[in-house]
Amino acid sequence: MQKVGRLHPITIAIRDIAAIFGRMGFGVVLGPELETEYYNFDALNVPADHPARDMWDTFWVKSDEDERLVLRTHTSPMQIRSLEKTGAPTRIIVPGKVFRNEATDATHEAQFYQLEGLAIDVNITLADLKGTLDRFSKEFFGTEAKVRFRPSYFPFTEPSVEVDVWFPARERWLEVMGAGMVHPKVLENAGVDSRKYQGFAFGLGVERFAMIKYGIPDIRLFHAGDIRFDFAFDKSQTSDV
Ligand code: YSA
């Protein structure tokens, strides 16, 4: 019998997430997977001696250009590229593949998807970030979901937070994204007047969200190419079956 194909759960998750942020006024922007060192690190205020630049964490790509190239380690470079193009105010999300030179296990892959969010305007506060993420998690996971912020550090946000989502089915908090208020240096690097504008940004792990929602136990299943995977996740939770 002919088997009918279906969308990959990562595609479904990205579409669901984009629809929710779309209702909150965020447009979708895509960016290059092969990035320059400038956009991946320097423009984001990541100093030259930061461990993330180490060859053990980043896939560097040989290039004939003067500038060094990397497989982007996060979707954050698109904060700069997009602001350079459109200026402020802006409200975008950026889904896409990212790459890290790290060992894989049940929750870590060397290639995975992130989804960046960026909102820049006058008078945006951390409360707007929390309200936006709270609404998003309730729409994505259900009304019982809630978010909590823990203090953290990213060179491109001040203050910075790790965001946990309360997952009622497992009765525990799960770390799903990094976020914060965009650092004034990042705004200036992108040509935006940081005295007039401010805003928030976040970067979430798409597979982590899909794993929680669809009950997928191991991140490596997403990319293994084993069609039995189709039977291994909870399709009642998807918007597209
Ligand atoms: C922070 C502040 C901002 O203003 C904007 C974005 C960010 C996030 C930052 N760029 C970043 O990449 N943070 S992170 O290294 O903690 O990754 C964000 C999320 O990606 C994690 O919370 C996790 O959900 C996911 N992630 C990270 N490494 C992963 C991974 N998912 C699968 N495999 C890995 N190896």
Side-chain angles (χ1 to χ4, degrees):
M1 196 176 71
Q2 184 76 37
K3 283 189 180 151
V4 179
R6 63 192 317 285
L7 294 176
H8 193 280
I10 294 177
T11 309
I12 299 170
I14 289 174
R15 288 186 181 184
D16 284 356
I17 296 169
I20 295 168
F21 281 106
R23 288 194 287 278
M24 290 192 267
F26 287 75
V28 179
V29 173
L30 301 177
E33 291 169 6
L34 187 59
E35 253 308 352
T36 63
E37 182 175 25
Y38 173 75
Y39 283 106
N40 199 79
F41 295 124
D42 298 272
L44 290 166
N45 200 32
V46 181
D49 58 355
H50 193 282
R53 292 200 185 204
D54 198 281
M55 64 179 286
W56 303 115
D57 291 320
T58 301
F59 292 112
W60 295 92
V61 177
K62 278 196 184 130
S63 145
D64 296 334
E65 315 284 317
D66 288 342
E67 202 161 10
R68 297 212 292 171
L69 298 176
V70 297
L71 290 179
R72 66 177 173 189
T73 58
H74 52 179
T75 41
S76 301
M78 278 308 290
Q79 290 186 28
I80 305 285
R81 284 188 182 277
S82 177
L83 280 172
E84 278 178 348
K85 211 168 172 182
T86 66
T90 190
R91 224 184 284 183
I92 55 158
I93 55 166
V94 188
K97 242 182 258 171
V98 303
F99 310 84
R100 292 190 189 173
N101 192 1
E102 60 178 289
T104 60
D105 61 25
T107 53
H108 293 82
E109 263 289 6
Q111 175 190 305
F112 58 100
Y113 281 81
Q114 281 191 345
L115 188 136
E116 192 84 5
L118 176 71
I120 305 291
D121 210 327
V122 289
N123 296 328
I124 291 198
T125 70
L126 201 66
D128 295 308
L129 171 64
K130 194 152 190 200
T132 303
L133 295 180
D134 189 63
R135 162 127 182 235
F136 161 64
S137 60
K138 283 184 167 59
E139 285 206 33
F140 190 75
F141 290 119
T143 47
E144 278 179 68
K146 49 190 177 188
V147 291
R148 84 175 171 192
F149 284 3
R150 280 178 296 113
S152 184
Y153 171 74
F154 297 101
F156 35 94
T157 39
E158 180 58 40
S160 307
V161 293
E162 293 289 347
V163 182
D164 299 335
V165 169
W166 175 250
F167 186 41
R170 296 201 190 154
E171 297 204 338
R172 55 176 284 216
W173 293 98
L174 290 159
E175 182 188 316
V176 285
M177 71 178 100
M181 298 303 289
V182 178
H183 197 294
K185 272 193 191 163
V186 172
L187 293 175
E188 296 293 337
N189 288 343
V192 173
D193 183 352
S194 64
R195 285 162 306 176
K196 180 169 179 200
Y197 290 104
Q198 62 285 135
F200 63 73
F202 58 84
L204 64 85
V206 175
E207 283 88 345
R208 299 254 175 108
F209 271 80
M211 287 170 78
I212 297 169
K213 189 167 180 183
Y214 311 139
I216 296 166
D218 193 314
I219 195 170
R220 290 166 292 197
L221 289 165
F222 285 106
H223 302 285
D226 184 337
I227 55 169
R228 288 172 299 178
F229 178 45
D230 188 43
F231 301 101
F233 72 95
D234 182 1
K235 288 186 266 301
S236 67
Q237 296 297 315
T238 66
S239 62
D240 190 314
V241 267

